[in-house]
């Protein structure tokens, strides 16, 4: 399973009582409801389902190691990596070739 650099850092040196938002990418064959239940048992709150049956969860940083041990996951990242900012660019920011 892939664990992002940011998540590895949090897992190795968590800040007690500080939450983190994670994206849990599930294996294609995983039972997403079972993964969600296991995440909740490990101390996470399932915030929502993402595209492709992945999960967005919030969890205290000191429980991240438990989340990374869950069966049925292929990747654990912070949700910051899935943020898309569409309002940032304007026509002035783009140069077209003539």
């Amino acid at each position: 399973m892939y664990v992002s650099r940011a998540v590895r850092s949090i897992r190795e040196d968590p800040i007690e009582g500080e939450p983190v938002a994670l994206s849990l990418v599930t294996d294609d064959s995983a039972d997403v409801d079972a993964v969600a239940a296991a995440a909740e048992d490990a101390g996470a709150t399932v915030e929502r389902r993402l595209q492709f049956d992945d999960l967005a969860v919030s969890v205290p940083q000191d429980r991240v190691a438990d989340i990374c041990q869950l069966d049925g996951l292929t990747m654990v990242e912070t949700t910051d990596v899935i943020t898309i900012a569409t309002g940032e660019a304007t026509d002035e920011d783009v140069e077209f070739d003539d």
Side-chain angles (χ1 to χ4, degrees), residues 10-98:
I10 292 167
R11 180 180 62 189
E12 293 167 9
D13 190 21
I15 299 171
E16 188 174 336
E18 189 70 24
V20 63
L22 300 177
S23 169
L24 307 181
V25 178
T26 59
D27 185 275
D28 290 340
S29 63
D31 177 344
V32 179
D33 292 328
V35 173
E40 289 175 341
D41 288 345
T45 300
V46 177
E47 301 295 342
R48 67 184 197 277
R49 282 199 176 189
L50 302 171
Q51 190 175 14
F52 309 117
D53 285 331
D54 300 333
L55 302 167
V57 303
S58 60
V59 64
Q61 288 188 15
D62 57 352
R63 301 303 304 264
V64 168
D66 297 329
I67 297 298
C68 291
Q69 297 299 317
L70 296 178
D71 290 332
L73 298 180
T74 60
M75 188 179 321
V76 180
E77 302 176 296
T78 63
T79 57
D80 292 340
V81 298
I82 60 172
T83 301
I84 299 172
T86 57
E88 298 291 324
T90 65
D91 291 338
E92 296 172 359
D93 297 330
V94 179
E95 293 182 22
F96 295 99
D97 293 330
D98 292 327

